[in-house]
Amino acid sequence: MASRQAHDLDIDQDLAFAQRSWRVQRAAWLGMGVVLLLALAGVLGAGPLSRSDASLPGFLRLEYQRFARYQAPQALIARLEPAATRAGEARLWVDRQYLDDSKVDTITPPPSRVEAAADRLVYVFSTRRPGEPVTIVFTLQSERIGLSSGRVGLDDAEGFVPFRQFVYP
Amino acid sequence: MESVIRAAAIYGLLLMVFRLTGNRSLGQITTFDFILLLIISEAIQNGMVGTDHSVTNAFVLVLTLLTFDIGLSLLKSRLPALERWLEGVPLVIVEHGHPLRDRMQKSRVDVSDVLTAARKLHGLERLDQVKYAVLERSGDISIIPEHGGSDPPRA
């Protein structure tokens, strides 16, 4: 390193400080690279590390995003097993708390009707043939930042699928 | 309420990122740097404005950004240490025609940048006509020319 030389320049040069700030800068570049890799991996939103699923064996498998972003579209996919439909209907419920924190944009297929209960909404889907698996896709947006948890279940089956996701601002 | 938080978050984030990427990034601005700036502003805009396109929201955002800027400049004049961290310190990179390589490399400036500044500012032809080149806090390079005879080179 060049030594401090006496010169006739009136300047508040501070080599020790400059050295320190270069070190901080290098570390920050590394940090930026790490953040970029995390974003690619899906830790900051959709991506491989964000994809997650939970299931109610024999009835329902739920695919959701572990990490979501505020007011950004995300998908909640419910795959219903044949045992989940009864008399040409599949009755899937989502807990009210989760729906209050989200805005549902579309449901594919659209439910034939929705029944409201105190703590949940029951979506009723018509199925063409009994004994066929059915996939239902909710596209929704999170309207609340932070950790949120939801429950999805079937009216005709005991138990439910709990899931948790973190919503980035 | 939300717009103030959004604007404050964006202000802080940009301040940090631009300081950490170094002075040089936007000091000698090239055409591409300028395009990059436009794209960055475009990328930031949606995050800051959100879904609220009202005039009130725009007004609150602008007010927040300006207030933070004034606040920060007041704070900087009170706390010299903060000013250093936020703005950096000037650095001599050429002394009596000799480039200080290590410093130049660390601050991502090369001899051709110094020569460009020397030509532009003083119409100098060679590096040995440069008495001092200083990388200023703004990222600009300022040149003090060697006056023939009046101050002979030491090295």
Side-chain angles (χ1 to χ4, degrees), chain A residues 1 7-8 13-14 25, chain B residues 20 84 92 95 102-103 132:
Chain A
M1 191 66 225
H7 47 58
D8 42 4
Q13 178 174 255
D14 183 341
Q25 234 174 51
Chain B
L20 289 174
R84 282 178 145 202
V92 175
E95 229 165 8
D102 188 53
R103 299 181 191 184
Y132 295 118

Side-chain angles (χ1 to χ4, degrees), chain B residues 38-141:
Chain B
L38 289 182
I39 300 172
I40 290 173
S41 77
E42 195 74 16
I44 284 293
Q45 185 199 315
N46 293 319
M48 197 163 69
V49 175
T51 48
D52 182 352
H53 299 292
S54 63
V55 173
T56 312
N57 189 37
F59 183 69
V60 170
L61 288 175
V62 170
L63 216 61
T64 309
L65 291 175
L66 292 181
T67 308
F68 266 78
D69 214 39
I70 295 169
L72 200 69
S73 68
L74 288 179
L75 214 60
K76 275 191 292 203
S77 65
R78 294 266 174 82
L79 303 169
L82 181 74
E83 180 163 29
R84 282 178 145 202
W85 276 110
L86 291 179
E87 312 223 309
V89 287
L91 193 69
V92 175
I93 49 176
V94 172
E95 229 165 8
H96 301 289
H98 294 289
L100 304 169
R101 302 267 176 206
D102 188 53
R103 299 181 191 184
M104 291 173 79
Q105 190 209 332
K106 287 263 175 55
S107 20
R108 288 176 291 154
V109 177
D110 56 30
V111 173
S112 72
D113 293 323
V114 175
L115 285 173
T116 305
R119 280 193 300 267
K120 274 190 180 168
L121 299 173
H122 297 282
L124 300 181
E125 294 145 354
R126 297 181 312 277
L127 198 61
D128 59 37
Q129 294 170 326
V130 174
K131 186 175 177 192
Y132 295 118
V134 179
L135 181 65
E136 302 290 355
R137 299 193 298 188
S138 59
D140 298 326
I141 297 171

